[in-house]
Amino acid sequence: MKRSLILLALLLLAPALAQKPKVVIGTGSTGGVFFYYGTALADILNKAGAVEAQPVQTGGSYDNLQLLRDRTNPQANTFYCALTTTDSAYVAYTGEEPRFKERPAKNQRVLFYMYPSFIHLVTTEKSGIKVVQDLKGKRVSTGQPGSSTENLALLVLQGAGVKPESFAKRERLPVAEGAKALAEGTLDAFFWVGGVPTSSIVELSQTLARKGDRIHLVPIDPKSTTAQVAMKRFPGLVEPYKVPKGVYNTRTDVPGLATGNILVCPDTLPAEAAYAIMKATFENLDTLRTAVAAAKDTSLEAAAKLYGKLPIPFHPGAERYLKEKGLVK
């Protein structure tokens, strides 16, 4: 009798347990901050019981937004959320990005702001590369094909009047491979759009120091034509940013540009689940910041600042949480 009552109770509980949404979080390549941030976030969400979260390694923003658009399946209670740069989310939403021209990712909704991603142009002091124009005749990686890194790298090159055809060799590598190639001397410079610090670049700095060389981040003056092209393309989304010299052991602080990073989820994700994600994240912010240094810029205030700045609406669940905290009206 007792056993049958337990079985009956389990059967009654089963539908409720099965209803917890499965949230797949698209991250990025190993060695980049997206990968570590998404993994840490999924762990927090699982431990808090907010949703059933699973991080997946991807090529970055555009891959994540395509998964959100194409793989979300409310009937199967499965929702793909994306870590993405604000510029990628913007062009995917408007359809300006070729991969989203026929089917814009109009179903994305913002949950919160994560941190800024610096447009790193990484080289070594011995390379002699001091300005973007010095890349002519060099072996350069512009980032993975179709990534946010590549798109922003091409904008920077356009602003500097440098064509990729002028390189001695063009590679299209993810950050870890770019750093390895630079350390081994098979590459002269690489672009990377990512959080500060990015672990692969920290490790590269240490490797170069052991070899008697030093990392050099090519500065981009926010007032220069080079910077203005990118800032005009994404007004309010690409902004001036400075990397302190202690981050990568550069000789000086490095001026340049950064884009923001956000978490977006599909509009079909239940409002209660989006609210639970917000609650779990911001009640465990110290845990997230301990796991990922870039998360120091993740805050409710930063999320509220983004509110109304993008054409992409906030998710109703996130909106409710921000309103409860008195940060948006």
Side-chain angles (χ1 to χ4, degrees), residues 16 20 29 47 83 114 194 202 208 221 238 262 270 276 283 297:
K20 189 174 282 186
S29 59
K47 284 178 178 170
L83 304 192
M114 300 190 300
V202 172
L208 290 173
D221 182 351
V238 172
I262 52 177
E283 285 185 359
D297 292 303

Side-chain angles (χ1 to χ4, degrees), residues 38-116:
T39 303
L41 180 62
D43 189 50
I44 286 168
L45 299 180
N46 284 326
K47 284 178 178 170
V51 290
E52 184 189 321
Q54 178 194 340
V56 291
Q57 186 181 333
T58 69
S61 298
Y62 290 117
D63 280 1
N64 299 342
L65 290 162
Q66 284 180 307
L67 287 169
L68 183 152
R69 183 192 66 185
D70 302 336
R71 298 282 294 278
T72 290
N73 185 350
Q75 287 72 35
N77 207 25
T78 301
F79 307 87
Y80 278 76
C81 292
L83 304 192
T84 175
T85 60
T86 50
D87 58 284
S88 299
Y90 175 84
V91 293
Y93 186 82
T94 60
E96 292 171 61
E97 162 59 35
R99 280 163 289 184
F100 296 86
K101 189 177 180 182
E102 298 300 321
R103 290 179 56 227
K106 291 284 188 186
N107 63 328
Q108 56 174 308
R109 295 292 181 268
V110 180
L111 263 73
F112 59 84
Y113 178 91
M114 300 190 300
Y115 59 88

Side-chain angles (χ1 to χ4, degrees), residues 31 65 72 76 87 123 145 154 166 175 177 189 222 235 237 253 260 264 275 277 287 290 310 315 318:
L65 290 162
T72 290
D87 58 284
T123 185
L154 293 176
S166 70
V175 62
E177 288 179 33
L237 302 183
D253 295 347
V264 294
Y275 180 88
I277 290 172
T287 304
T290 301
L310 281 168
H315 195 290

Side-chain angles (χ1 to χ4, degrees), residues 91-322:
V91 293
Y93 186 82
T94 60
E96 292 171 61
E97 162 59 35
R99 280 163 289 184
F100 296 86
K101 189 177 180 182
E102 298 300 321
R103 290 179 56 227
K106 291 284 188 186
N107 63 328
Q108 56 174 308
R109 295 292 181 268
V110 180
L111 263 73
F112 59 84
Y113 178 91
M114 300 190 300
Y115 59 88
S117 268
F118 186 70
I119 303 175
H120 298 73
L121 175 45
V122 188
T123 185
T124 69
E125 287 196 343
K126 288 184 179 178
S127 73
I129 298 167
K130 301 295 181 191
V131 294
V132 181
Q133 287 80 1
D134 291 337
L135 294 175
K136 292 175 184 176
K138 302 291 186 181
R139 299 163 299 173
V140 183
S141 170
T142 51
Q144 287 176 278
S147 63
S148 177
T149 291
E150 184 174 66
N151 286 357
L152 287 169
L154 293 176
L155 268 181
V156 167
L157 291 168
Q158 181 190 329
V162 177
K163 293 183 178 179
E165 294 78 20
S166 70
F167 300 156
K169 185 181 182 184
R170 180 185 175 186
E171 298 279 10
R172 302 170 86 185
L173 306 172
V175 62
E177 288 179 33
K180 185 172 182 282
L182 191 67
E184 291 173 353
T186 58
L187 198 67
D188 298 308
F190 68 90
F191 281 92
W192 164 247
V193 177
V196 177
T198 290
S199 61
S200 291
I201 301 176
V202 172
E203 288 164 21
L204 170 65
S205 175
Q206 294 163 352
T207 302
L208 290 173
R210 287 194 295 271
K211 291 183 174 183
D213 202 349
R214 193 171 191 150
I215 200 167
H216 179 66
L217 294 185
V218 177
I220 297 172
D221 182 351
K223 293 176 183 174
S224 67
T225 307
T226 302
Q228 291 302 313
V229 168
M231 291 169 77
K232 281 178 184 173
R233 176 68 184 86
F234 296 109
L237 302 183
V238 172
E239 299 178 312
Y241 187 89
K242 189 174 282 188
V243 177
K245 61 183 180 182
V247 175
Y248 299 120
N249 193 30
T250 50
R251 288 195 188 273
T252 60
D253 295 347
V254 184
L257 301 173
T259 182
N261 295 290
I262 52 177
L263 173 69
V264 294
C265 290
D267 55 2
T268 49
L269 178 72
E272 303 77 38
Y275 180 88
I277 290 172
M278 293 290 286
K279 185 176 167 65
T281 302
F282 290 101
E283 285 185 359
N284 293 280
L285 208 48
D286 287 345
T287 304
L288 184 61
R289 287 172 175 171
T290 301
V292 190
K296 70 181 188 302
D297 292 303
T298 302
S299 69
L300 282 172
E301 290 74 21
K305 190 180 173 186
L306 193 67
Y307 190 78
K309 199 174 181 180
L310 281 168
I312 308 161
F314 266 63
H315 195 290
E319 207 170 40
R320 178 187 146 204
Y321 190 81
L322 289 171

